[in-house]
Amino acid sequence: MKFDRPETTNPIDQMKVVGQPVRRIDGELKVTGNATYAYEWQDPDGPSAYGYPVGSAIAKGRITAMDVAAAEASPGVLAVVTTLAVGDREKGQYNTAKLFGGAEIQHYHQAIAVVVAETFEQARAAAALVKVEYAEVQGQFSLADGRDTAQKPKDVDDTPPDTAVGDFDSAFASAPMTLDEEYTTPDHSHSMMEPHASIAAWNGEELTVWTSSQMIDWWRTDLATTLGIDKDNIQLKSPYIGGGFGGKLFLRVDAVLAAFAAKASGRTVKVALPRPFMANNTTHRPATIQRIRIGTEQDGTITAIAHESWSGDLPGGGPEPAVMQTRLLYAGANRMSSMRLAALDLPEGNAMRAPGEAPGLMALEVAIDEMAEKLAMDPVDFRILNDTQVDPENPKRRFTHRNLIGCLETGSERFGWSERRRPGARRDGNWLVGMGVAAAFRNNLLLTSAARVKLDREGIVTVETDMTDIGTGSYTIIAQTAAEMLGLSVDKVVVKLGDSRFPVSAGSGGQFGANCSTSGVYAACVKLREAVASALGFNSDDVVFENGEVRSGNRFAPLAAAAGVDGLVAEDKIEWGDLSKTHQQSTFGAHFVEVGVDVATGETRVRRMLAVCSAGRILNPVTARSQVIGAMTMGVGSALSEELAVDTRRGFFVNHDLAGYEVPVHADIPHQEVIFLEEEDPYSSPMKAKGVGELGLCGVSAAIANAIHNATGVRLRHYPLTLDKLIGGLPEVA
């Protein structure tokens, strides 16, 4: 199905099932422990062996020798596979660094061996006996030091790294009011609950891998490339995933090691990356340095805006696209943006929830607040004044639906924004109390997505697609889509996900998963509806599917009657036309936060949070709300505690576990409220939906920073906003 014109009325608009707060159909399996995650699969032919990885002890150089004799002689050991024995391998399309193979070391903890043994403990003990000699080379590990030599990167997703409209320099120089500030965000870790884990089994030349993957087809393709085999000989299974946040978008080394280990040992082998291994071996959100300049008229109208960003990655990698939202979020006739990329020898920087917008808004939305303060304007009013309904860099290109003003106004009223006072003026005992706001923005991305639907003679519909569920509710919204299209209740739909034998979906990432995968299911259901009508001899133009029946005129029949003995099967995919090129598709929101800051210690506590989202049709308000409050929680961590500390001498992240890398826990999170504005976007898809999973994060950290300033009068521009950065500016204790 080609989606190349705005959607009109279709069966989803009934919203008897879609849009309703249906409980997670996979929920019972998960809370009872019966959902099988990657490391939990059991080989029916016998117990699995265990693989334990060995990581490089240097960040850059080459391996000159490896001695594995002691490891091979260790009790229970079945095989030791080294990167030297495997030899140089072709790198997958989506990886910056090679995952395994060859003598070159590109980053600390790069996998250099895997030890296979009968038990986990035996494998771990033997791995400690592997002796490695290196020829170490000094690397570059500091973004601040690499800033001056940073280069203009290649295009990011077909978007140029630099843009310019009007004459920014002249407009900024002549603006009555100006801001010129620098902001920094640190490296961040995905820190999902489930580690990267895989189980591999060979049957002749065919390989089956149970793993934890957000994007099944991307992984299968790149695994085939790394192993040097045909992708059709690989079956990947990933029905349940314990979180990913972008860290499982691309093939990771656990799957590669498991495959090599299973081949070498002749056994089914399971490999889970130890938690300390994950921060340096996998990927992370890169640190940024951002300079923002804004010029306005006396009334607050933006006349000039510029956003420059520096980030780092391994050679061949890409930048953190932190300027993207600034190109679209606020009006301004004269504007420029640029990204520069420093070559760093740290572990690979790559996608983490809302790449670009998350760290970009951490800076931009603080700068907007600072500009409003200079103008003596309410920060909500300043944002509303500079709203735009067209792409500021291409005014002929309108937004399909943009209700940022509605988000700000609704949030202001619900949160009690009118009670906000001047900085440092509100006290509650020892706590300085303040409110902050930030706009949220995230683009609507579109990927091709396919599905297969089957109707059996019992009237049960089965949906098959390699779409994944990373804890987001994919099973449920896909079931709701099929149920709505075929006039059934959700309990009459069976959803099968996460298997490479199923049609290739959009996968889970970039906030595109829900809209694209359900659109693929919609397309397949349209074909099944046509097949049902034909089987029943009905006119497909006026056929109605409702309550398990099919009606056409004054004729009706049970849906199951169309299946016959063998059932009916239909398969299709959603493909996208040029609507996303002719019109700008984005999602919008507003975050409001209240904090308390201890006047003596500088400790910050978030007291309450509100997110207002305008993001197309909400397919399930329960699962969508869960996505947003989870994202808000992640925003608290990004603001107050999360930072991968870089050892700039040795080139690794020091706090590479959940004891040293501090994410929010239940006690850190207060009351959270989420409001979804009524919206349908006929330009986005047949579902008229978009996404909210990453929108819920964008802007949260800035709202906290702005609330801290309102509480204390101290302006912080460098994350995380820890008490050591605050305490010197706090008022004297009364």
Side-chain angles (χ1 to χ4, degrees), residues 268-572:
T268 298
V269 175
K270 56 172 59 182
V271 175
L273 300 189
R275 182 66 64 175
F277 207 80
M278 290 167 58
N280 288 293
N281 175 268
T282 62
T283 64
H284 68 285
R285 190 199 301 283
T288 69
I289 301 169
Q290 301 178 53
R291 181 190 182 192
I292 297 176
R293 288 173 285 170
I294 304 172
T296 73
E297 300 287 3
Q298 290 286 3
D299 68 353
T301 302
I302 294 175
T303 56
I305 184 166
H307 192 162
E308 300 165 89
S309 177
W310 293 260
S311 60
D313 200 4
L314 291 166
E320 177 69 25
V323 305
M324 292 302 197
Q325 72 290 321
T326 308
R327 297 174 178 177
L328 291 162
L329 189 51
Y330 296 113
N334 304 284
R335 48 203 309 124
M336 65 85 75
S337 66
S338 72
M339 292 182 278
R340 293 295 178 265
L341 180 63
L344 300 182
D345 300 300
L346 291 171
E348 179 180 340
N350 218 314
M352 182 170 164
R353 196 176 197 169
E357 287 97 337
L361 285 164
M362 289 170 76
L364 175 64
E365 285 300 291
V366 174
I368 290 292
D369 237 58
E370 293 195 66
M371 194 72 242
E373 184 180 25
K374 281 176 173 279
L375 291 159
M377 286 187 69
D378 183 279
V380 170
D381 294 339
F382 181 55
R383 289 171 170 85
I384 290 174
L385 174 66
N386 290 288
D387 187 50
T388 174
Q389 292 298 311
V390 299
D391 177 349
E393 294 190 353
N394 182 9
K396 294 181 179 179
R397 191 164 177 258
R398 296 190 63 82
F399 286 92
T400 58
H401 193 282
R402 175 184 170 118
N403 195 12
L404 175 59
I405 292 177
C407 294
L408 290 164
E409 291 179 338
T410 301
S412 296
E413 181 179 357
R414 182 67 69 93
F415 201 69
W417 186 253
S418 62
E419 299 300 315
R420 179 178 178 266
R421 298 168 65 185
R422 61 177 175 80
R426 186 176 164 202
R427 289 282 292 265
D428 179 10
N430 284 338
W431 296 95
L432 301 169
V433 180
M435 295 184 190
V437 65
F441 173 93
R442 175 72 174 162
N443 273 330
N444 184 50
L445 308 179
L446 301 172
L447 274 69
T448 298
S449 194
R452 182 186 302 125
V453 287
K454 302 177 179 179
L455 172 67
D456 68 20
R457 58 185 179 180
E458 302 299 323
I460 302 297
V461 170
T462 300
V463 182
E464 296 176 341
T465 172
D466 81 354
M467 179 60 184
T468 51
D469 191 323
I470 55 176
T472 50
S474 299
Y475 280 99
T476 307
I477 59 173
I478 284 173
Q480 288 176 266
T481 302
E484 193 78 77
M485 290 294 291
L486 296 165
L488 298 170
S489 55
V490 170
D491 62 352
K492 297 294 184 182
V493 179
V494 175
V495 179
K496 297 182 179 180
L497 302 180
D499 192 322
S500 63
R501 301 300 189 202
F502 299 155
V504 177
S505 72
S508 296
Q511 195 174 273
F512 52 69
N515 183 37
C516 295
S517 67
T518 55
S519 294
V521 173
Y522 172 95
C525 286
V526 168
K527 275 202 169 181
L528 184 60
R529 285 166 63 102
E530 293 170 353
V532 167
S534 176
L536 295 175
F538 289 173
N539 182 350
S540 61
D541 291 336
D542 65 359
V543 69
V544 175
F545 290 72
E546 189 174 39
N547 298 327
E549 294 183 342
V550 186
R551 298 198 310 273
S552 179
N554 58 3
R555 299 176 58 203
F556 68 92
L559 176 64
V565 176
D566 300 323
L568 287 176
V569 181
E571 183 175 330
D572 203 358

Side-chain angles (χ1 to χ4, degrees), residues 170-181:
S170 296
F172 184 74
S174 62
M177 302 293 290
T178 61
L179 172 88
D180 184 350
E181 294 291 353

Side-chain angles (χ1 to χ4, degrees), residues 147-169:
R147 175 179 182 173
D148 291 340
T149 58
Q151 301 293 309
K152 181 178 178 179
K154 59 187 178 182
D155 289 2
V156 180
D157 296 328
D158 299 323
T159 302
D162 295 359
T163 62
V165 175
D167 185 346
F168 169 78
D169 290 332

Side-chain angles (χ1 to χ4, degrees), residues 109-166:
H109 260 171
Q110 186 168 331
I112 58 174
V114 58
V115 177
V116 188
E118 292 288 357
T119 70
F120 172 81
E121 291 77 12
Q122 289 171 333
R124 181 178 59 184
L129 302 177
V130 175
K131 297 179 181 179
V132 188
E133 296 178 16
Y134 303 95
E136 187 173 4
V137 175
Q138 181 59 44
Q140 172 64 265
F141 309 122
S142 167
L143 176 59
D145 292 345
R147 175 179 182 173
D148 291 340
T149 58
Q151 301 293 309
K152 181 178 178 179
K154 59 187 178 182
D155 289 2
V156 180
D157 296 328
D158 299 323
T159 302
D162 295 359
T163 62
V165 175

